[in-house]
Amino acid sequence: DAGVTQSPTHLIKTRGQHVTLRCSPISGHKSVSWYQQVLGQGPQFIFQYYEKEERGRGNFPDRFSARQFPNYSSELNVNALLLGDSALYLCASSSTGTGGLNQPQHFGDGTRLSIL
Amino acid sequence: GNSVTQMEGPVTLSEEAFLTINCTYTATGYPSLFWYVQYPGEGLQLLLKATKADDKGSNKGFEATYRKETTSFHLEKGSVQVSDSAVYFCALNRREGGSEKLVFGKGMKLTVNP
């Protein structure tokens, strides 16, 4: 079975631009979460979506938005890019929205976003 | 609030050495605890988990025990291999309303030399 897939793998943008990152969860998984991992740090939670509804949001500005589609894939959008947005963006899926104890989150390989 | 503190790295060991990576946490309630591993150029992989006090998680020779009294979840392996070279993250799960998120430590880079 395919794991969590993310696209693109790498992306270079300039300040002020907009970016869209995509994620396809493991088949059958209905929850998708997004994390930002700055170099040398642990991942930071951005969003969780479950059954196409936002379930949780981390401490990120409104420039960050996301959505989940009927097939449970998801997009993360970032507007007005800043240099500080340079990071690895990770997508994780799980089978339920709050079942982490026995349904751990499975991560994709991430999208490396560089802002010039 | 909820947070995870890991020992500072990077750490370099020789093959077959003993490994300990310290992890302590601060949390309300009783979170589940996890160790994730990140190999170069890849995403995170779940290494092991423990869901309640005194539980021991184990996988691929790695072990960690959920210690409520010391709020710790230290990772150990008796004999590391070159293939264990990676970044290791300790994490807890945090439930808020209808959502669930992972709170990670900063990670510790391990290099194992032959």
Side-chain angles (χ1 to χ4, degrees):
Chain A
D1 287 343
V4 177
T5 57
Q6 294 186 242
S7 63
T9 55
H10 295 87
L11 202 51
I12 298 175
K13 293 285 188 179
T14 57
R15 283 178 296 174
Q17 286 189 310
H18 161 90
V19 69
T20 298
L21 310 181
R22 295 177 176 82
C23 171
S24 293
I26 291 172
S27 178
H29 284 192
K30 299 179 179 180
S31 172
V32 170
S33 297
W34 288 94
Y35 291 81
Q36 180 196 63
Q37 186 181 10
V38 174
L39 192 63
Q41 301 292 317
Q44 297 289 317
F45 173 76
I46 310 175
F47 286 109
Q48 183 194 17
Y49 275 77
Y50 179 70
E51 287 282 16
K52 302 179 289 295
E53 292 187 356
E54 182 182 304
R55 284 291 188 92
R57 183 186 183 111
N59 188 25
F60 281 81
D62 292 343
R63 299 184 296 108
F64 288 78
S65 64
R67 55 180 176 169
Q68 187 176 33
F69 298 99
N71 66 353
Y72 302 111
S73 67
S74 178
E75 286 183 352
L76 175 69
N77 296 283
V78 187
N79 292 323
L81 288 166
L82 304 174
L83 292 177
D85 296 331
S86 295
L88 179 68
Y89 288 84
L90 295 165
C91 174
S93 75
S94 64
S95 56
T96 68
T98 58
L101 299 184
N102 292 312
Q103 293 85 30
Q105 297 191 37
H106 299 265
F107 285 82
D109 287 343
T111 294
R112 175 74 61 186
L113 175 63
S114 298
I115 310 301
L116 303 180
Chain B
N2 297 279
S3 65
V4 174
T5 302
Q6 292 183 234
M7 62 185 289
E8 296 287 327
V11 169
T12 300
L13 297 175
S14 297
E15 206 164 24
E16 299 184 2
F18 182 83
L19 169 70
T20 298
I21 305 177
N22 289 339
C23 171
T24 57
Y25 67 90
T26 302
T28 54
Y30 302 99
S32 292
L33 301 174
F34 305 84
W35 278 100
Y36 278 85
V37 59
Q38 187 173 35
Y39 298 101
E42 298 184 11
L44 302 176
Q45 297 178 22
L46 178 64
L47 182 59
L48 53 82
K49 67 177 181 180
T51 60
K52 60 182 185 295
D54 300 325
D55 265 4
K56 177 186 283 188
S58 61
N59 186 26
K60 300 181 181 179
F62 290 89
E63 292 183 340
T65 301
Y66 191 141
R67 300 289 188 197
K68 188 176 70 172
E69 62 276 13
T70 55
T71 61
S72 64
F73 193 55
H74 304 322
L75 183 68
E76 296 183 338
K77 186 173 185 181
S79 177
V80 294
Q81 305 300 310
V82 172
S83 58
D84 294 326
S85 298
V87 181
Y88 292 82
F89 293 93
C90 184
L92 60 81
N93 77 320
R94 166 72 176 163
R95 292 185 176 180
E96 290 179 346
S99 74
E100 181 158 355
K101 67 177 184 180
L102 291 168
V103 177
F104 288 88
K106 291 185 177 181
M108 200 210 74
K109 184 177 181 180
L110 170 68
T111 301
V112 180
N113 293 323

